[in-house]
Coordinates of all heavy atoms in Angstrom, one line a residue:
K3 N 30.1 -3.3 108.9 CA 30.3 -3.9 107.6 C 31.0 -5.2 107.6 O 32.3 -5.2 107.6 CB 31.0 -2.9 106.6 CG 30.2 -1.7 106.3 CD 30.9 -0.8 105.2 CE 30.0 0.4 104.9 NZ 30.7 1.2 103.8
P4 N 30.3 -6.3 107.7 CA 30.9 -7.6 107.7 C 31.7 -7.9 106.4 O 31.4 -7.4 105.4 CB 29.8 -8.6 107.8 CG 28.7 -7.8 108.4 CD 28.8 -6.4 107.9
F5 N 32.8 -8.6 106.5 CA 33.7 -9.0 105.4 C 34.4 -7.7 104.8 O 34.9 -7.8 103.6 CB 32.9 -9.8 104.4 CG 32.4 -11.1 104.9 CD1 31.1 -11.2 105.3 CD2 33.2 -12.2 105.0 CE1 30.6 -12.4 105.7 CE2 32.7 -13.4 105.5 CZ 31.4 -13.5 105.9
R6 N 34.5 -6.6 105.5 CA 35.2 -5.5 104.9 C 36.7 -5.7 105.1 O 37.1 -6.0 106.2 CB 34.8 -4.2 105.7 CG 35.5 -2.9 105.2 CD 35.0 -1.7 105.9 NE 35.9 -0.5 105.7 CZ 35.8 0.3 104.7 NH1 34.9 0.0 103.7 NH2 36.6 1.3 104.6
R7 N 37.5 -5.6 104.1 CA 38.9 -5.8 104.1 C 39.3 -7.1 104.7 O 40.0 -7.1 105.8 CB 39.6 -4.6 104.7 CG 39.5 -3.3 103.9 CD 40.3 -2.2 104.5 NE 41.7 -2.5 104.6 CZ 42.5 -2.3 103.5 NH1 42.1 -1.9 102.3 NH2 43.8 -2.6 103.6
P8 N 38.9 -8.2 104.2 CA 39.2 -9.5 104.8 C 40.7 -9.9 104.6 O 41.4 -9.4 103.7 CB 38.3 -10.5 104.1 CG 38.1 -9.9 102.8 CD 38.0 -8.4 103.0
G9 N 41.2 -10.7 105.5 CA 42.6 -11.2 105.4 C 42.6 -12.7 105.5 O 41.6 -13.4 105.9
A10 N 43.7 -13.3 105.1 CA 43.9 -14.8 105.1 C 43.8 -15.3 106.6 O 44.3 -14.7 107.5 CB 45.2 -15.2 104.5
A11 N 43.2 -16.5 106.7 CA 43.2 -17.1 108.1 C 43.5 -18.6 107.9 O 43.1 -19.2 106.9 CB 41.8 -16.9 108.7
F12 N 44.1 -19.2 108.9 CA 44.5 -20.6 109.0 C 44.3 -21.1 110.4 O 44.4 -20.4 111.3 CB 45.9 -20.8 108.5 CG 46.2 -20.2 107.2 CD1 46.8 -19.0 107.1 CD2 46.0 -21.0 106.0 CE1 47.0 -18.4 105.8 CE2 46.2 -20.4 104.8 CZ 46.8 -19.1 104.7
D13 N 44.0 -22.5 110.5 CA 43.8 -23.1 111.8 C 44.3 -24.5 111.8 O 44.4 -25.2 110.7 CB 42.4 -22.9 112.3 CG 41.4 -23.9 111.7 OD1 41.7 -24.5 110.6 OD2 40.3 -24.2 112.3
A14 N 44.5 -25.0 113.0 CA 44.8 -26.4 113.2 C 43.9 -26.8 114.4 O 43.8 -26.0 115.4 CB 46.3 -26.7 113.6
A15 N 43.4 -28.0 114.4 CA 42.4 -28.4 115.4 C 42.5 -29.8 115.8 O 42.9 -30.7 115.0 CB 41.0 -28.1 114.9
F16 N 42.1 -30.1 117.1 CA 42.0 -31.4 117.7 C 40.6 -31.5 118.2 O 40.1 -30.6 119.0 CB 43.0 -31.7 118.8 CG 42.7 -32.9 119.6 CD1 43.2 -34.1 119.1 CD2 42.0 -32.9 120.7 CE1 42.9 -35.3 119.8 CE2 41.8 -34.0 121.5 CZ 42.2 -35.3 121.0
R17 N 39.8 -32.5 117.8 CA 38.4 -32.6 118.3 C 38.2 -34.0 119.0 O 38.6 -35.0 118.5 CB 37.5 -32.5 117.1 CG 36.0 -32.6 117.4 CD 35.2 -32.4 116.2 NE 35.1 -31.0 115.8 CZ 35.8 -30.5 114.7 NH1 36.6 -31.3 114.0 NH2 35.7 -29.2 114.4
W18 N 37.5 -33.9 120.1 CA 37.1 -35.1 120.9 C 35.6 -35.3 120.6 O 34.8 -34.5 121.0 CB 37.4 -35.0 122.4 CG 36.8 -36.1 123.2 CD1 36.7 -37.4 122.9 CD2 36.4 -35.9 124.6 NE1 36.1 -38.1 123.9 CE2 35.9 -37.2 125.0 CE3 36.3 -34.9 125.5 CZ2 35.4 -37.4 126.2 CZ3 35.8 -35.1 126.7 CH2 35.3 -36.4 127.1
N19 N 35.3 -36.4 120.0 CA 33.9 -36.7 119.7 C 33.3 -37.5 120.9 O 33.5 -38.7 121.0 CB 33.8 -37.5 118.4 CG 34.2 -36.7 117.2 OD1 33.7 -35.6 116.9 ND2 35.1 -37.3 116.4
I20 N 32.6 -36.7 121.7 CA 32.0 -37.3 122.9 C 30.9 -38.3 122.6 O 30.9 -39.4 123.2 CB 31.4 -36.2 123.8 CG1 32.6 -35.2 124.2 CG2 30.8 -36.8 125.1 CD1 32.1 -34.0 124.9
N21 N 30.1 -38.0 121.7 CA 29.1 -38.9 121.1 C 28.7 -38.4 119.7 O 29.4 -37.5 119.2 CB 27.9 -39.1 122.1 CG 27.3 -37.7 122.4 OD1 27.1 -36.8 121.6 ND2 26.9 -37.6 123.7
Y22 N 27.6 -38.9 119.2 CA 27.2 -38.5 117.8 C 26.7 -37.1 117.7 O 26.6 -36.5 116.6 CB 26.1 -39.5 117.3 CG 26.6 -40.9 117.1 CD1 26.2 -41.9 117.9 CD2 27.5 -41.1 116.1 CE1 26.7 -43.2 117.7 CE2 28.0 -42.4 115.9 CZ 27.6 -43.4 116.7 OH 28.0 -44.7 116.6
R23 N 26.3 -36.5 118.9 CA 25.8 -35.1 118.9 C 26.8 -34.1 119.4 O 26.8 -32.9 118.9 CB 24.5 -35.0 119.7 CG 23.3 -35.8 119.1 CD 22.8 -35.1 117.8 NE 21.6 -35.7 117.3 CZ 20.4 -35.2 117.4 NH1 20.2 -34.1 118.1 NH2 19.4 -35.8 116.9
W24 N 27.6 -34.4 120.3 CA 28.5 -33.5 121.0 C 29.9 -33.7 120.7 O 30.4 -34.9 120.7 CB 28.2 -33.5 122.5 CG 26.9 -32.9 123.0 CD1 25.8 -33.6 123.2 CD2 26.6 -31.6 123.2 NE1 24.8 -32.8 123.6 CE2 25.3 -31.5 123.6 CE3 27.4 -30.4 123.1 CZ2 24.7 -30.3 123.9 CZ3 26.8 -29.2 123.4 CH2 25.4 -29.1 123.8
A25 N 30.7 -32.6 120.6 CA 32.1 -32.7 120.4 C 32.8 -31.5 121.1 O 32.2 -30.5 121.3 CB 32.5 -32.7 118.9
L26 N 34.0 -31.7 121.5 CA 34.8 -30.7 122.1 C 36.1 -30.5 121.2 O 36.8 -31.4 121.0 CB 35.2 -31.1 123.5 CG 35.8 -30.0 124.4 CD1 34.7 -29.0 124.7 CD2 36.3 -30.7 125.7
K27 N 36.3 -29.2 120.8 CA 37.3 -28.9 119.9 C 38.4 -28.0 120.6 O 38.0 -27.0 121.2 CB 36.8 -28.2 118.7 CG 37.8 -27.6 117.7 CD 37.1 -26.8 116.6 CE 38.1 -26.0 115.8 NZ 37.4 -25.2 114.8
C28 N 39.6 -28.3 120.4 CA 40.7 -27.4 120.8 C 41.4 -26.9 119.5 O 41.8 -27.7 118.7 CB 41.7 -28.1 121.7 SG 41.0 -28.8 123.2
G29 N 41.6 -25.6 119.4 CA 42.1 -25.1 118.2 C 43.1 -24.0 118.3 O 43.1 -23.2 119.3
L30 N 44.0 -23.9 117.4 CA 45.0 -22.8 117.3 C 44.8 -22.2 115.9 O 44.9 -22.9 114.9 CB 46.4 -23.4 117.5 CG 47.6 -22.4 117.3 CD1 47.5 -21.3 118.3 CD2 48.9 -23.1 117.3
S31 N 44.7 -20.9 115.8 CA 44.4 -20.2 114.6 C 45.2 -18.9 114.5 O 45.6 -18.3 115.5 CB 42.9 -20.0 114.3 OG 42.4 -19.2 115.4
T32 N 45.3 -18.4 113.2 CA 45.9 -17.1 113.0 C 45.1 -16.4 111.8 O 44.6 -17.1 110.9 CB 47.4 -17.2 112.7 OG1 47.9 -15.9 112.5 CG2 47.6 -18.0 111.4
A33 N 45.1 -15.1 111.9 CA 44.4 -14.3 110.8 C 45.0 -13.0 110.7 O 45.5 -12.4 111.7 CB 42.9 -14.2 111.1
T34 N 45.0 -12.5 109.5 CA 45.4 -11.1 109.2 C 44.2 -10.2 109.3 O 43.3 -10.3 108.5 CB 46.1 -11.0 107.8 OG1 47.2 -11.9 107.7 CG2 46.6 -9.5 107.6
L35 N 44.2 -9.3 110.3 CA 43.1 -8.3 110.4 C 43.5 -7.0 109.9 O 44.6 -6.5 110.2 CB 42.7 -8.2 111.9 CG 42.3 -9.5 112.6 CD1 41.9 -9.3 114.1 CD2 41.2 -10.2 111.9
K36 N 42.6 -6.4 109.1 CA 42.9 -5.1 108.5 C 41.7 -4.2 108.6 O 40.5 -4.7 108.6 CB 43.3 -5.3 107.0 CG 44.5 -6.2 106.7 CD 44.7 -6.3 105.3 CE 43.7 -7.3 104.6 NZ 44.1 -7.5 103.2
A37 N 41.9 -2.9 108.6 CA 40.9 -1.9 108.5 C 41.4 -0.6 108.0 O 42.6 -0.3 108.1 CB 40.3 -1.7 109.9
D38 N 40.5 0.2 107.3 CA 40.9 1.5 106.8 C 39.6 2.3 106.8 O 38.6 1.9 106.2 CB 41.4 1.3 105.3 CG 42.0 2.6 104.8 OD1 41.7 3.7 105.3 OD2 42.9 2.5 103.9
T39 N 39.7 3.5 107.4 CA 38.5 4.4 107.5 C 38.4 5.4 106.4 O 37.5 6.2 106.5 CB 38.5 5.1 108.9 OG1 39.6 6.0 109.0 CG2 38.5 4.1 110.0
R40 N 39.3 5.4 105.5 CA 39.3 6.4 104.4 C 38.0 6.2 103.6 O 37.6 5.1 103.3 CB 40.5 6.2 103.5 CG 41.8 6.8 104.1 CD 42.9 6.5 103.2 NE 43.2 5.1 103.1 CZ 44.3 4.6 102.4 NH1 45.1 5.4 101.7 NH2 44.4 3.3 102.3

């Protein structure tokens, strides 16, 4: 079940644009992951 009990997520990113088609991204992120089988 996608999107079951979602939590907040945040990120910060640095991207190197190699050309108009290709880019390389370095990222740091965090998210609250939750689940309940009841």
Side-chain angles (χ1 to χ4, degrees):
K3 294 186 177 181
F5 298 99
R6 177 178 169 83
R7 294 185 61 80
F12 303 95
D13 78 341
F16 170 84
R17 182 177 284 102
W18 171 32
N19 294 306
I20 301 171
N21 53 42
Y22 294 109
R23 291 294 183 101
W24 288 97
L26 194 63
K27 172 186 170 184
C28 299
L30 175 65
S31 61
T32 183
T34 302
L35 301 183
K36 300 179 287 185
D38 192 336
T39 65
R40 286 176 294 183

